């Protein structure tokens, strides 16, 4: 695409314009821009995977899931039978298994530029500023949203549109069996957001209804009955934001 | 065609390759100077030393010889696409349809001999219409060429040993005084077969004779898979830069794609062979997810591979081959994504997969296929992407919840407070103790009995005779007592798989710890199932 020639697909395929991210939840997650979804502490990656899949409002099309071997070894690979129970959209998923960080970033960028993909999700190590800037530029040029699932080591500034920090929370009470886990709940803190800077620091306590597959915001007080203590790994600034 | 690689510093000095055998060192092969002094193959090394005191010797390295011969065979592909190894010291080339490119068969032999001699390789060559005859001629009467139908007369005078027979068969024939191939013609086949100790040996001699005379077919096993299409570019001057290779490749791709387009076909594999002027060949290959013949796409995939081609002292011939040819999906692309019948452009997706495969390796791009299995790790199989997205695997109806992440290998956990027939109260995973607050389950996943009941070897025979033992059709939902009884019967009749070696059932629990993290634990085995010791606990996945 870098060559000077005009491609047939560029002329005749009506390229969808990159949609502007709206200022309401989920702030364009899975619709536009590059979103970083990070662990609050080690071991939250399953929670953030669930959050990203459930919250992403993606278009129809193929999803490319790039997973780096290191993350896959630590936290397991994505099971599609489990993914289907979190999101109503039945997108085919093309998996790309990479080893090195550079290869992973290259594969993400290649997928963005391929015009065959509606969403790119990546299990990847912490991405530095320059690399994230490349991804943001490619994503805005080709209108393909990117979700980076990142470990807790993701810190510092990057060029991403938004950064979510997700931790698991005790699940909702199960109506049929009080001793069984109920609907999954997560706490997603919007650490930074370029499209809606005023929302930065906002904490969303979310619950996924496993029947309707809809995300609802639950009150921070209405936690479950089984365990009401604070979530471990909670940060003082989160408490401050809720107060 | 036979070739002997001579890399001795002084060709006129007597030289022999030796090998340690059961009776000490013996000569394997010798050069002309040594042969003239009476050093023949199979001679003891001490005798050889006595006959020729100045004999220089070295131990034979058969592995290196085989490698060199294979490399030479790959280089011979520049003359004809089908090249096979013949024994330990020969190459066989199918020249049908290739000879006219070198001004006839004699011209082709001259061209090959000239190239090999230039590279310092001594060779003996012969041409015939059957592999057996060509092999015999090349070893006993090099330089001859037999027309089709002349094999009987042409081979009559050659020694029997050139028929690619075993040493024992040659000894038997020699004892009967049969030293020339022509002597075998007149003997009645049954009478000839009776002279050998075993039927196999007799069959081998008759087979080799028939193959040499063209009465039985002998397929060659080529070194390289035969390409469906190939185009070549002879460079007037050896090239050595990757830009020049790129330019040559552009012309080759254009020609090959035209050829494929004329047939309405595309190929799923392309390989570029670069023949170096000093002998040797470098290869770059790409694999595609679905048949393609778009020049720009193929060139782009080759882009990264060209740099890795080692030009040596220069490349004088480039060949581009198309493998795995198939019909192409032809259709007009939709003007707009909204008008397209499918959400995904399959061509663009395949192109993406090709680019990733070309850079990161084969098998990196995968899709999950559903597979009929009880076990969750087998129910969803990752296979390399083949240009078609399968239906997304859905969990089978009736199965319990499935985690969002699954470990390739279940990790063992240490259970601190175990409750019989229930989830643990606490467990240690990755050195952290986790207190279970809530749990759900169990979902029992039984082992797949059809994978682990082996047939008793004494009863089952490959031909199916004497078989008294049939595979029972068991329904896991049927009566448990009946299954138990049948299983007991099976195990009584089948000693090869004792009960304790059978796989164990798994009880899966969905548990949540105090921090709200949700795990998929399973207990491997039941208490008192007689299949090993106490049940063990594993973690298999993580819930969202």
């Amino acid at each position: 695409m870098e060559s000077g020639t005009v491609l047939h697909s560029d002329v005749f395929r009506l390229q969808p314009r990159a949609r502007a991210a709206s200022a309401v939840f989920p702030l364009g997650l899975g619709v536009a821009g590059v979103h970083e979804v990070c662990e609050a502490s080690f071991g939250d990656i399953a929670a953030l995977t669930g959050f990203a899949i459930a919250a992403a409002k993606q278009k129809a099309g193929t999803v490319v899931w790039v997973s780096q071997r290191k993350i896959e070894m630590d936290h397991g690979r994505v099971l599609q039978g489990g993914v289907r129970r979190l999101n109503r959209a039945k997108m085919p998923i093309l998996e790309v298994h990479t080893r090195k960080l550079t290869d992973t970033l290259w594969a993400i960028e290649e997928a963005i530029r391929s015009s065959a993909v509606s969403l790119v999700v990546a299990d990847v190590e912490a991405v530095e500023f320059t690399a994230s800037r490349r991804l943001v530029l490619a994503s805005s040029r080709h209108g393909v949203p990117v979700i980076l699932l990142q470990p807790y080591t993701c810190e510092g500034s990057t060029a991403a549109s938004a950064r979510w920090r997700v931790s698991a929370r005790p699940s909702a009470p199960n109506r049929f069996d009080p001793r069984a886990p109920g609907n999954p709940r997560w706490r997603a803190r919007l650490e930074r957001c370029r499209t809606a800077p005023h929302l930065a620091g906002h904490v969303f306590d979310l619950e996924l209804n496993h029947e309707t597959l809809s995300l609802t915001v639950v009150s921070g007080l209405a936690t479950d009955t089984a365990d009401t203590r604070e979530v471990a790994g909670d940060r003082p600034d989160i408490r401050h934001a809720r107060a | 065609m036979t070739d002997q690689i001579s890399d001795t510093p002084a060709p006129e000095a007597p030289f022999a390759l030796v090998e340690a055998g059961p009776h000490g060192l013996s000569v394997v092969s010798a050069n002309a100077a040594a042969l003239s002094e009476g050093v023949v193959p199979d001679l003891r090394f001490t005798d050889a030393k006595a006959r020729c005191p100045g004999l220089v010797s070295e131990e034979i390295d058969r592995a290196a010889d085989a490698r060199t011969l294979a490399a030479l065979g790959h280089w011979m592909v520049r003359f004809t696409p089908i090249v096979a190894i013949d024994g330990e010291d020969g190459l066989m080339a199918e020249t049908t349809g290739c000879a006219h490119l070198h001004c006839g068969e004699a011209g082709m032999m001259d061209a090959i001999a000239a190239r090999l001699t230039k590279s310092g390789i001594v060779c003996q060559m012969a041409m015939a219409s059957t592999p057996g005859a060509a092999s015999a001629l090349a070893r006993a009467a090099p330089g001859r060429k037999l027309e089709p139908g002349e094999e009987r007369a042409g081979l009559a005078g050659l020694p029997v040993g050139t028929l690619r027979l075993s040493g024992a068969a040659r000894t038997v024939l020699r004892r009967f005084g049969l030293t020339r191939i022509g002597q075998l013609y007149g003997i009645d086949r049954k009478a000839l077969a009776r002279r050998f100790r075993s039927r196999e040996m007799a069959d081998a001699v008759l087979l080799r004779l028939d193959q040499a005379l063209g009465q039985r077919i002998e397929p060659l096993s080529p070194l390289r898979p035969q390409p469906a299409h190939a185009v070549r570019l002879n460079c007037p001057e050896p090239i050595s830069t990757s830009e020049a290779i790129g330019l040559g490749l552009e012309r080759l791709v254009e020609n090959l794609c035209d050829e494929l387009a004329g047939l309405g076909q595309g190929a799923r594999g392309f390989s570029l062979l670069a023949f170096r002027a000093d002998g040797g060949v470098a290869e770059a290959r790409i694999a595609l997810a679905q048949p393609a013949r778009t020049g720009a796409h193929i060139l782009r995939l080759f882009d990264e591979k060209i740099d890795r081609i080692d030009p040596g002292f220069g490349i004088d011939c480039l060949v581009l081959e198309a493998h795995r040819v198939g019909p192409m999906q032809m259709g007009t692309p939709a003007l707009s994504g909204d008008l397209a019948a499918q959400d995904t452009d399959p061509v663009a997706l395949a192109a993406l997969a090709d680019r990733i495969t070309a850079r990161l390796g084969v098998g990196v791009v995968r899709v999950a296929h559903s597979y009929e299995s009880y076990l969750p790790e087998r129910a969803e199989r990752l296979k390399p992407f083949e240009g078609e997205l399968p239906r997304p695997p859905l969990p089978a109806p009736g199965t319990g919840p499935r985690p969002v992440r699954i470990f390739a290998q279940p990790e063992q956990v240490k259970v601190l407070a175990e409750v019989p027939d229930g989830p643990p109260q606490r467990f240690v995973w990755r050195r952290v103790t986790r207190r279970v607050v809530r749990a759900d389950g169990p979902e029992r996943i039984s082992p797949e009995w059809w994978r682990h009941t082996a047939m008793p070897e004494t009863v089952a025979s490959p031909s199916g005779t004497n078989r008294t033992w049939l595979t029972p059709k068991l329904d896991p939902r049927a009566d448990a007592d009946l299954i138990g009884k049948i299983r007991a019967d099976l195990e009584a009749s089948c000693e090869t798989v004792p009960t304790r070696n059978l796989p164990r059932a798994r009880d899966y629990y969905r548990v949540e710890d105090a921090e709200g993290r949700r795990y998929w634990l399973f207990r491997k085995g039941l208490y008192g199932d007689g299949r090993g010791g106490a049940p063990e606990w594993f973690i298999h996945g993580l819930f969202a």
Side-chain angles (χ1 to χ4, degrees):
Chain A
M1 293 231 176
E2 274 70 37
S3 62
T5 55
V6 179
L7 283 181
H8 169 270
S9 61
D10 276 352
V11 177
F12 290 107
R13 189 173 277 271
L14 305 180
Q15 295 279 0
R17 272 189 306 169
R19 295 184 209 176
S22 57
V24 295
F25 184 84
L27 296 156
L29 181 72
V31 177
V34 176
H35 284 248
E36 291 175 333
V37 186
C38 315
E39 285 179 313
S41 58
F42 183 82
D44 278 328
I45 201 146
L48 73 88
T49 309
F51 164 76
I53 294 167
K57 300 271 177 284
Q58 74 242 41
K59 302 169 279 186
T62 309
V63 175
V64 168
W65 197 298
V66 187
S67 50
Q68 204 182 333
R69 190 173 164 77
K70 185 174 179 293
I71 310 283
E72 210 178 304
M73 294 297 281
D74 278 354
H75 303 286
R77 73 172 174 91
V78 168
L79 188 74
Q80 300 209 11
V83 169
R84 305 285 158 208
R85 297 186 189 210
L86 295 170
N87 196 321
R88 209 176 296 116
K90 302 280 181 273
M91 307 303 180
I93 296 180
L94 191 70
E95 295 185 25
V96 180
H97 297 260
T98 57
R99 283 178 179 272
K100 287 184 283 186
L101 177 63
T102 46
D103 288 348
T104 314
L105 294 170
W106 177 84
I108 297 170
E109 200 174 324
E110 202 64 26
I112 294 171
R113 299 196 323 206
S114 71
S115 78
V117 170
S118 66
L119 173 67
V120 181
V121 187
D123 287 324
V124 63
E125 285 176 64
V127 177
E128 54 153 10
F129 185 84
T130 317
S132 68
R133 182 80 186 136
R134 271 187 79 98
L135 294 183
V136 167
L137 285 176
S139 166
S140 63
R141 183 171 166 206
H142 296 276
V144 176
V146 179
I147 302 177
L148 301 176
L149 309 181
Q150 303 223 295
Y152 70 102
T153 49
C154 170
E155 293 284 344
S157 67
T158 59
S161 338
R163 180 185 290 167
W164 302 82
R165 202 159 288 273
V166 181
S167 57
R169 288 186 61 217
S171 57
N174 193 326
R175 277 190 299 160
F176 306 105
D177 182 3
R179 290 172 303 170
N183 289 336
R185 284 181 175 177
W186 308 294
R187 168 164 301 165
R189 177 168 175 265
L190 187 63
E191 273 198 353
R192 60 180 76 223
C193 181
R194 284 178 196 274
T195 50
H198 60 280
L199 282 177
H202 197 87
V203 176
F204 298 90
D205 281 321
L206 301 161
E207 177 182 332
L208 178 76
N209 187 324
H210 79 275
E211 283 166 351
T212 62
L213 295 179
S214 56
L215 267 183
T216 47
V217 177
V218 290
S219 150
L221 291 173
T223 48
D224 62 337
T225 50
D227 198 333
T228 51
R229 68 190 184 86
E230 276 295 329
V231 174
D234 209 345
R235 293 156 172 240
D237 49 353
I238 295 179
R239 266 187 229 117
H240 175 73
R242 278 171 57 206
Chain B
M1 192 201 73
T2 312
D3 46 69
Q4 288 167 332
I5 296 161
S6 68
D7 50 355
T8 47
E12 58 280 349
F15 176 79
L17 287 172
V18 297
E19 189 177 33
H23 306 295
L25 286 179
S26 60
V27 174
V28 180
S29 97
N31 69 354
L35 284 173
S36 67
E37 301 225 13
V39 178
V40 291
D42 293 335
L43 190 70
R44 298 277 175 78
F45 182 59
T46 44
D47 297 344
K49 253 324 207 195
R51 287 184 191 181
C52 172
L55 182 69
V56 181
S57 69
E58 199 172 313
E59 197 162 345
I60 191 167
D61 183 354
R62 289 185 189 274
D65 282 357
R67 273 201 301 278
T68 315
L69 189 63
L72 189 68
H74 281 285
W75 176 80
M76 284 285 292
V77 171
R78 66 181 293 155
F79 293 104
T80 158
I82 304 178
V83 177
I85 302 271
D86 175 30
E88 287 180 342
D89 56 352
L91 289 173
M92 198 96 74
E94 165 80 78
T95 60
T96 312
C98 303
H100 71 277
L101 301 170
H102 303 273
C103 309
E105 293 172 340
M108 185 169 189
M109 282 168 74
D110 290 344
I112 295 175
R115 296 293 305 226
L116 288 174
T117 313
K118 220 170 157 185
S119 310
I121 296 170
V122 182
C123 64
Q124 297 174 200
M125 226 181 297
M127 196 173 267
S129 51
T130 63
S135 171
L137 276 178
R139 286 172 172 85
R144 278 187 66 188
K145 189 161 76 67
L146 290 185
E147 295 298 325
E150 286 182 358
E151 293 89 14
R152 216 176 158 81
L155 294 179
L158 301 186
V160 164
T162 55
L163 274 182
R164 297 177 289 172
L165 301 174
S166 67
R170 265 181 295 180
T171 310
V172 171
L173 288 174
R174 200 179 60 236
R175 283 184 188 154
F176 284 114
L178 301 169
T179 53
R180 303 278 149 192
I181 297 176
Q183 292 173 305
L184 299 175
Y185 297 163
I187 302 173
D188 180 52
R189 295 174 71 89
K190 282 182 181 165
L192 185 64
R194 271 201 301 274
R195 293 170 194 232
F196 290 96
R197 194 180 306 130
S198 69
R199 197 192 161 111
E200 285 75 29
M201 201 188 280
D203 283 348
V205 171
L206 290 175
L207 173 74
R208 289 305 191 193
L209 184 64
D210 288 349
Q211 282 178 342
L213 297 179
Q215 287 162 359
R216 265 195 256 185
I217 195 158
E218 181 182 0
L220 293 182
S221 56
L223 274 175
R224 288 173 49 76
Q226 210 183 338
H229 298 277
V231 287
R232 73 160 51 211
L233 182 72
N234 286 313
C235 309
E237 192 74 8
I239 55 173
S240 56
T241 60
S242 48
E243 288 80 19
I245 300 173
L247 280 174
L249 180 65
E250 252 173 64
R251 288 173 60 176
L252 287 175
V253 166
E254 197 182 317
N255 291 346
L256 188 60
C257 290
D258 283 351
E259 200 176 319
L260 289 170
L263 298 165
Q265 287 184 319
R268 288 194 52 201
F270 291 90
S271 57
L272 174 70
L273 299 172
F275 294 96
R276 289 194 280 265
D278 57 340
V281 57
E283 186 177 0
R285 59 176 80 166
I286 56 167
L288 284 82
Q290 57 175 224
R293 56 160 186 259
T294 320
H297 180 53
I298 296 164
L299 283 174
R300 190 172 167 179
L301 297 182
F302 267 118
D303 254 356
E304 310 212 356
K305 311 265 181 179
I306 287 178
D307 299 339
R308 292 184 213 155
I309 291 180
D310 173 20
F313 291 106
I315 291 163
D316 63 351
C317 179
L318 289 170
V319 172
L320 182 68
E321 296 178 340
H323 295 274
R324 293 190 286 156
V325 167
M328 269 185 62
Q329 291 178 3
M330 297 297 291
T332 316
L335 274 177
S336 150
D338 301 333
L339 298 176
Q342 288 169 297
D343 299 325
T344 312
D345 181 358
V347 177
L349 195 66
L352 167 68
D354 293 343
R355 282 200 297 279
I356 294 176
T357 306
R359 171 134 174 190
L360 303 184
V362 177
V364 160
V365 183
R366 293 176 228 172
V367 278
H369 290 254
S370 49
Y371 182 75
E372 285 191 358
S373 173
Y374 296 160
L375 304 177
E377 69 269 24
R378 291 184 79 228
E380 206 170 278
R381 276 190 174 178
L382 288 179
K383 289 185 187 169
F385 179 61
E386 299 264 302
E388 206 169 297
L389 285 168
R391 258 189 52 225
L394 289 171
T399 56
R402 289 288 177 263
V404 72
R405 284 184 172 269
I406 191 165
F407 294 109
Q409 204 67 38
E411 294 181 16
Q412 192 163 7
V413 297
K414 199 173 147 199
V415 169
L416 295 179
E418 197 166 358
V419 184
D421 289 337
Q425 299 281 311
R426 273 183 299 154
F427 64 94
V428 181
W429 176 52
R430 292 181 177 174
R431 292 185 289 180
V432 178
T433 307
R434 294 152 213 264
R435 186 164 64 85
V436 174
V437 177
R438 292 190 281 180
D440 194 7
E443 177 190 357
R444 178 160 298 175
I445 296 182
S446 55
E448 293 169 339
W449 57 267
W450 60 89
R451 293 175 63 208
H452 298 281
T453 41
M455 295 277 202
E457 282 169 20
T458 49
V459 181
S461 60
S463 58
T465 52
N466 306 331
R467 181 179 286 180
T468 57
W469 197 88
L470 292 172
T471 313
K473 290 222 163 26
L474 284 186
D475 182 0
R477 289 162 297 184
D479 191 10
D481 293 344
L482 179 68
I483 290 179
K485 189 171 165 293
I486 293 174
R487 171 154 290 161
D489 290 351
L490 278 180
E491 279 158 9
S493 68
C494 164
E495 294 85 13
T496 50
V497 184
T499 315
R500 64 178 177 283
N501 292 349
L502 286 172
R504 311 181 82 172
R506 301 174 181 177
D507 275 352
Y508 278 89
Y509 292 91
R510 187 162 62 110
V511 304
E512 183 177 314
D513 71 359
E515 292 175 11
R517 293 185 184 146
R518 292 164 276 272
Y519 310 92
W520 207 31
L521 294 182
F522 71 87
R523 183 182 54 220
K524 192 175 181 185
L526 312 176
Y527 292 97
D529 60 358
R531 300 182 176 188
E536 290 167 332
W537 286 87
F538 292 87
I539 183 164
H540 202 174
L542 302 169
F543 279 96

